Every structure is written in C-alpha cells, then in structure tokens.
Amino acid sequence: MDRFKLRKAEPKDVPDILRLIKELAKYEDMEDQVILTEKDLLEDGFGDHPFYHCIVAEVPSEKQSNNGPVVIGFAMYYFTYDPWIGKLLYLEDFFVMEEYRGFGIGSEILKLLSHTAVKTRCSSMHFIVAEGNQASIEFYKRRGAADLSLEEGWRLFKIDRSSLLKMSSGPEE
Amino acid sequence: MHFKVRAAAKEDCKDISRMIMELAVYENMPDQVKTSHEDLERDGFSPNPFYECLIAEVPDEHKTKDGYTVVGYALYFYTYSTWKGRSVYMEDLYVMPDFRGKGIGTGLMAKVAQVGVEKQCVRLQLSVLDWNKPSLDFYIAKGAEDLTAKEGWHFLRFHGQTLDTLAKEAPKD
C-alpha cells in the first residue's frame, strides 16, 4: 500500500460511509442494529445543522481491480462539551476495511483527528470501546489513550425513546 | 415548592459556573475545573453553540442564604450514533443540596427528554461514576440501562500531552 489519501467527506461519499458503517457493525457482531439510511446520513451530516463530521480514506481508483471501492476507511466525529475543560472532540466511529489494515492508514487517521482536535481548541479526544475488542484497545493504549472507566469508574448509560417519551410527558410543575 | 425550568440565557453563565464548581466538589474533583463563566458564554451562546443548558429557578421567597434563585441546571448536547442517528447526551445534571427531594432534578431531566424527542433523538445518554449510588438509583428508576455493565463499553481518551504528540505527527494540509 504505497498511496492513500485522507480528506473531508462530501455528500457523494454517503453511500460509501453507510457501507463502511455496516461493515464496522458486522465486525462488532451488531450488523442488524444499523437502522440509519443514506437519506439520514445526508441530512444529518450535510444539512443546516450537521450532527457529525467525517474523514474518509481513499485509494487511487487506478489501483483497484474488479471495480473495487475507492473509499476504504472512515472516521466520524463531532464536538462535545465538558463543563470543566470546555470543547472536546468525540470520535464516534473509526474503521479501515480488513484488507487495508496494517499499512498505517488507521494511525494516519488518528493523527489527523488529533490535529483537528488541537486546531479547534479541544482539550481532549474521547471515544468508547467495547472491552471485548482487545485489538482496538491495544491500538489506542499503544498511542497513549487512558481508560477512564477503569481509572475513574465512569459507566455509560442510555435511556431509550420510549422512556424519554414517558419522562417528557410527566406532570408539569 | 414551586420552581421553573427554562432555557439558560447568557446572563445565567455566572450561576452555571458556580454550580459546575459545586458539582465538581461533590464528585471530589474541584481542582479539575478550568472553565470560567466567560468560556461558558463564548461556547454556549455564539452562532455555533457547543452545548445547551436548562436552569431551574425558585421564586425570590425561596432563594438560598447567599441570595441565589437559580438552584439547578442540566447541560446537554447532541451526538450521533452511526447505527441509530441523532442522540442527546446529558453531560451534567445538578440540583443544590438544599433543594433536592422536591422534583427539580426530575423536572430538569424531563425537559431535556422533551427537547430530545422534539429534535427526533432516538435516545439520551449519560455517564455516572460507579460509586455515585444516589445518581445511579435516580437514573435507573427513570429507565436508564448501564451499557458498561451490559455491553462492556469503556470510555477512553487522549488528553494533554498524548493528544499533542499524536497531533504533531499528522499529515500536513
């Protein structure tokens, strides 16, 4: 793998992004949980109020045989806020197709994200990893990541839409 | 006790800053707060806000001994799940100790839930420290599920020096 390029995603990349999201979900054994569509991704990433930003990794099309994909990796991120330290960059998804791993593409994506974080005045880059995903945990720890769940005891919770509806229709004060 | 939940205005940042510090003290980490009320004003009330905030206020006759009528806040922002789409993340929920047990926390959270539902969010997420039993009980009673326990999710981060080191190696623009 001698050449690859990292660039900001554009609306035309949405089909590739969805394809890679599904591949990542398959890698995490949760393929059937992806309910997002290309229309959602287009509206939510390239509309009036973007909910995410995306970087894609592509290989030159002339290197591809059998009309293989040109976009072979992506990272999706957005900005969050810590009231103690301010802006943070939150890495939501990060994936390189299996046949393109081991060439440093993931490392380069991570460095670009870190550079983006520093450039946009973020104090920290946060993300979550499933404890069963040892390969990813090692990848991040080798580069200096700290596990806040282990070190400080943070636990992630979710409240689904049905419970949200119940809460939001409770008695008015 | 009668109370009102409303969207924070720029002028409320001094009160929000005060309560952020009180919450940090409750979590045994007061020296970690680096944001000032000016940072909160810039980051929450510019054309591209990084968070939204709701505050709870009581009538003048119930003000605190120091004269404050703003007695609680909920700070949240929007995130994105590549599987399910728009989400809301509640970063901080705090009610001053003398005003707990009166439904103010529930009222604040109900309003965050309502905002989330209006913005078509599929879920609300938050994180809690594993020793914080009153908060764990409060959220579980509202339907929260512990994803760290259930699915093994851990929070990781690149912070300070480790972030700068990665950033320096990024490909030049």
Side-chain angles (χ1 to χ4, degrees):
Chain A
M1 177 54 48
D2 51 356
R3 257 191 315 148
F4 62 91
K5 188 172 96 166
L6 300 183
R7 60 169 176 80
K8 264 166 103 158
E10 295 161 34
K12 67 177 169 90
D13 296 314
V14 159
D16 278 306
I17 296 170
L18 187 58
R19 170 180 58 83
L20 293 171
I21 285 171
K22 287 182 174 165
E23 283 193 39
L24 174 51
K26 199 165 162 188
Y27 170 77
E28 289 174 344
D29 287 326
M30 307 218 218
E31 200 181 358
D32 52 319
Q33 300 230 23
V34 180
I35 60 173
L36 217 54
T37 63
E38 286 181 14
K39 183 167 173 285
D40 295 323
L41 277 175
L42 198 59
E43 195 183 315
D44 295 339
F46 301 94
D48 295 326
H49 173 192
F51 282 83
Y52 69 86
H53 303 276
C54 198
I55 293 172
V56 295
E58 63 179 13
V59 293
S61 51
E62 63 268 18
K63 292 266 172 178
Q64 281 295 33
S65 55
N66 301 323
N67 293 314
V70 170
V71 173
I72 50 85
F74 83 109
M76 179 188 279
Y77 66 95
Y78 39 82
F79 296 99
T80 62
Y81 202 76
D82 181 321
W84 297 0
I85 53 176
K87 282 175 66 179
L88 305 175
L89 188 148
Y90 187 88
L91 177 55
E92 174 63 35
D93 262 13
F94 176 21
F95 181 75
V96 175
M97 287 173 70
E98 193 173 358
E99 52 268 47
Y100 292 93
R101 288 180 209 152
F103 295 111
I105 298 176
S107 285
E108 289 304 299
I109 292 176
L110 201 62
K111 288 176 196 169
L112 182 57
L113 288 167
S114 305
H115 177 72
T116 303
V118 169
K119 210 167 59 171
T120 53
R121 212 183 13 93
C122 294
S123 323
S124 204
M125 180 161 73
H126 283 211
F127 51 100
I128 56 174
V129 190
E131 66 195 4
N133 188 350
Q134 276 309 307
S136 294
I137 292 175
E138 288 308 310
F139 175 88
Y140 294 122
K141 282 196 153 157
R142 263 203 303 274
R143 286 158 180 78
D147 184 334
L148 297 181
S149 290
L150 282 181
E151 287 181 24
E152 294 179 12
W154 289 102
R155 312 184 73 81
L156 175 66
F157 281 77
K158 73 159 181 187
I159 298 180
D160 274 338
R161 198 174 163 85
S162 53
S163 300
L164 288 184
L165 285 165
K166 237 182 4 199
M167 256 196 286
S168 60
S169 62
E172 291 290 332
E173 174 57 25
Chain B
M1 176 188 291
H2 187 73
F3 65 92
K4 185 170 96 165
V5 172
R6 61 168 174 82
K10 201 168 173 177
E11 301 71 54
D12 295 312
C13 287
K14 287 199 178 79
D15 273 304
I16 299 169
S17 206
R18 166 181 60 83
M19 290 186 288
I20 284 170
M21 184 53 90
E22 289 176 20
L23 178 51
V25 166
Y26 172 76
E27 287 176 351
N28 301 320
M29 308 200 222
D31 48 317
Q32 302 223 26
V33 179
K34 312 282 183 232
T35 52
S36 62
H37 76 264
E38 289 98 347
D39 293 323
L40 291 175
E41 284 166 14
R42 176 198 58 203
D43 296 335
F45 297 91
S46 55
N48 183 20
F50 290 93
Y51 69 86
E52 292 181 7
C53 194
L54 297 168
I55 61 165
E57 60 185 345
V58 294
D60 216 51
E61 61 264 28
H62 291 298
K63 65 177 185 259
T64 73
K65 55 178 168 19
D66 295 311
Y68 301 121
T69 54
V70 172
V71 300
Y73 76 100
L75 190 147
Y76 61 95
F77 41 79
Y78 301 100
T79 61
Y80 203 71
S81 153
T82 46
W83 298 353
K84 302 193 192 312
R86 301 178 190 180
S87 295
V88 61
Y89 189 92
M90 191 169 72
E91 173 67 29
D92 270 8
L93 175 66
Y94 175 77
V95 176
M96 293 174 72
D98 290 342
F99 294 84
R100 290 181 199 156
K102 302 179 193 321
I104 297 179
T106 294
L108 280 163
M109 195 163 174
K111 197 78 186 151
V112 176
Q114 195 176 68
V115 168
V117 167
E118 277 164 20
K119 287 274 198 317
Q120 296 163 66
C121 295
V122 299
R123 67 183 180 199
L124 183 150
Q125 287 188 307
L126 52 106
S127 49
V128 189
L129 286 161
D130 56 10
W131 54 258
N132 190 348
K133 188 125 187 8
S135 294
L136 290 165
D137 290 342
F138 176 83
Y139 294 121
I140 288 169
K142 288 173 166 41
E145 281 180 76
D146 183 339
L147 294 183
T148 296
K150 190 172 166 205
E151 296 174 13
W153 292 104
H154 283 221
F155 281 107
L156 271 69
R157 73 165 179 196
F158 286 100
H159 188 72
Q161 191 57 58
T162 58
L163 186 65
D164 287 338
T165 302
L166 270 175
K168 285 195 176 71
E169 296 170 25
K172 301 296 166 230
D173 289 328

